[in-house]
Amino acid sequence: MSKYLFTSESVTEGHPDKVCDRISDSVLDAIIANDPTARVACETTVTTGIVSVMGEITTKSYADIPGIVRKALRDIGYTSACGFDADTCAVVTSIDEQSPDIAMGVNKSLEDKSESENFGGGAGDQGIMFGFACDETPELMPLAISLAHKLAKKLTAARKEGVLPYLFPDGKTQVTVEYVDGKPSRIDTVVVSSQHTADVSLDTLRRGIIENVIKPTIPAGLIDDKTRILINPTGRFVVGGPVGDSGLTGRKIIVDTYGGYARHGGGAFSGKDPTKVDRSASYAARYAAKNVVKAGLASKCEIELAYAIGVAKPVSVFVDTFGTGKIPDDKISEIICKVFDFTPDGIIKMLDLRKPIYAQLAAYGHMGREDLGVRWEATDKVDELLALAK
């Protein structure tokens, strides 16, 4: 019998890095709502009293970036009581247009310049992107990251709904799962850290989080008398958010995907329009992997897509089912290339990505979000995959 532990973390929407992701994606949403073909690469930094928004944006529309920033901060919960105030912080912007050298390859792909068939635009950059699915949870995500996200969402809900009124927006969660023979067996450790008011006692905070966050979220059958629960282990977390730590867009990429359980290409998602394959191809790879697992062709499936800038077709498609495939991995690779269009234009159309859907994804993960109805979480390609697998 083989035993091992695996851990994943999540963070709340008030974590400084996630604040930046939310702002960058809110700017993207505001622009793409009025100009669906806009090119957006928006980065944000935050620190005490200052928000800086920068990047390359080419659009026919106008966006009130300071207004977008303040609304995002207000929605998260940053007011004067937290030490960082949406209404009084400075907002600095530095925006240029997309490089014409990049635009040339995105507007018209290498294939369109040399072949008769229409392939649409090319990839906005070179790079590798991964998608993954497994049968550990109903949404076909790894258990540790699934539970960590649920804890982070529950922690935020308890704050915003007034159930735990002494909490502030910044927080982190972490879940360690014990596996036996490759299957989740129990929860070994749960860690929750939350920013709080100075006057609340540690005992009150710990009891409140156990009763209102952990118990309603973690299935009772996974917790036993050996499970460790650690809440604010340092004993105090009053100074937090952008006052306690600077933040930056794209610094929580493992939180955004599979919690380290599967590989990550390295590119961040937030603030990027769907011509950027860092974002869109990662969604497409998740879409394909999830349908493979849902079809029963494997219990685990990881898909790598690789692109060259200005080229529409991926330069490689790689499938790994970790020995769980019901048919050979190369056969699955062949099948998914027939069912899914992995060109940038094909992905955008397939997943309906020219819509303002991105700010809602900035926290609690981009994958497994069945609650949001995003297209890459659909399992509508199962029948096609099974027909070709025969």
Side-chain angles (χ1 to χ4, degrees):
M1 186 169 63
S2 170
K3 286 186 181 182
Y4 58 89
L5 301 177
F6 187 85
T7 304
S8 293
E9 73 153 346
S10 183
V11 297
T12 66
E13 61 199 53
H15 184 281
D17 295 328
K18 279 292 151 205
V19 170
C20 294
D21 287 346
R22 171 71 171 271
I23 291 170
S24 294
D25 276 332
S26 295
V27 171
L28 170 62
D29 277 356
I31 291 171
I32 211 169
N34 296 312
D35 182 6
T37 60
R39 302 285 166 76
V40 180
C42 180
E43 311 282 349
T44 304
T45 63
V46 295
T47 189
T48 306
I50 301 174
V51 179
S52 180
V53 182
M54 67 205 83
E56 297 78 44
I57 299 175
T58 302
T59 181
K60 300 186 289 287
S61 71
Y62 167 77
D64 174 14
I65 291 179
I68 293 166
V69 168
R70 298 189 193 283
K71 182 180 186 305
L73 291 170
R74 212 173 291 118
D75 289 348
I76 291 168
Y78 276 111
T79 62
S80 57
C82 308
F84 191 87
D85 190 348
D87 296 313
T88 61
C89 67
V91 179
V92 180
T93 62
S94 178
I95 305 295
D96 291 316
E97 290 193 341
Q98 183 182 55
S99 159
D101 296 344
I102 295 173
M104 183 170 58
V106 177
N107 293 341
K108 193 170 186 179
S109 67
L110 180 69
E111 292 95 330
D112 263 10
K113 295 168 186 173
S114 59
E115 300 180 27
S116 59
E117 188 177 349
N118 178 28
F119 287 92
D125 202 353
Q126 69 176 48
I128 56 173
M129 297 86 210
F130 288 92
F132 179 79
C134 64
D135 60 4
E136 291 182 8
T137 61
E139 69 272 25
L140 303 183
M141 287 286 286
L143 181 61
I145 189 65
S146 176
L147 291 177
H149 283 325
K150 288 175 182 176
L151 285 171
K153 287 177 71 176
K154 193 70 173 176
L155 188 66
T156 297
R159 169 178 62 88
K160 287 187 168 181
E161 294 167 6
V163 176
L164 302 178
Y166 42 77
L167 298 184
F168 280 155
D170 196 0
K172 288 185 171 185
T173 63
Q174 187 170 283
V175 176
T176 301
V177 177
E178 182 180 284
Y179 284 77
V180 176
D181 291 337
K183 298 292 184 183
S185 174
R186 55 181 289 274
I187 302 301
D188 183 81
T189 307
V190 177
V191 184
V192 178
S193 295
S194 181
Q195 185 188 9
H196 57 85
T197 60
D199 57 352
V200 67
S201 72
L202 187 58
D203 285 344
T204 297
L205 182 138
R206 285 177 172 167
R207 283 198 305 271
I209 289 177
I210 288 172
E211 292 301 320
N212 296 282
V213 178
I214 295 175
K215 285 186 176 179
T217 303
I218 305 290
L222 292 175
I223 294 180
D224 57 29
D225 56 1
K226 293 182 180 179
T227 300
R228 291 189 303 166
I229 296 178
L230 304 174
I231 298 171
N232 283 22
T234 66
R236 181 178 168 87
F237 187 1
V238 174
V239 178
V243 177
D245 193 9
S246 61
L248 176 66
T249 299
R251 202 154 57 179
K252 282 287 177 283
I253 58 176
I254 301 304
V255 170
D256 287 342
T257 53
Y258 308 101
Y261 195 93
R263 283 169 281 198
H264 193 294
F269 301 156
S270 289
K272 297 178 180 178
D273 75 77
T275 67
K276 277 74 170 175
V277 285
D278 279 340
R279 171 169 235 158
S280 56
S282 295
Y283 294 163
R286 162 65 179 173
Y287 183 37
K290 186 172 183 180
N291 276 270
V292 167
V293 173
K294 186 68 174 181
L297 297 178
S299 57
K300 286 184 184 179
C301 181
E302 185 178 74
I303 297 171
E304 183 202 47
L305 303 175
Y307 292 85
I309 188 168
V311 181
K313 289 182 177 180
V315 298
S316 70
V317 178
F318 174 73
V319 172
D320 188 353
T321 62
F322 308 94
T324 70
K326 302 299 187 293
I327 60 175
D329 289 354
D330 60 344
K331 178 67 173 175
I332 294 176
S333 179
E334 179 187 323
I335 289 170
I336 64 170
C337 288
K338 293 177 180 177
V339 173
F340 301 92
D341 185 347
F342 292 125
T343 64
D345 276 15
I347 293 170
I348 290 169
K349 292 170 185 172
M350 177 173 67
L351 300 181
D352 200 11
L353 296 179
R354 294 199 188 277
K355 289 184 176 181
I357 59 172
Y358 299 106
Q360 62 183 346
L361 293 159
Y364 318 116
H366 292 244
M367 313 304 177
R369 299 303 302 274
E370 294 182 346
D371 57 315
L372 300 179
V374 289
R375 283 284 301 131
W376 56 93
E377 291 301 318
T379 53
D380 54 348
K381 301 294 186 181
V382 167
D383 290 342
E384 288 182 64
L385 291 172
L386 289 173
L388 289 170
K390 290 178 181 177

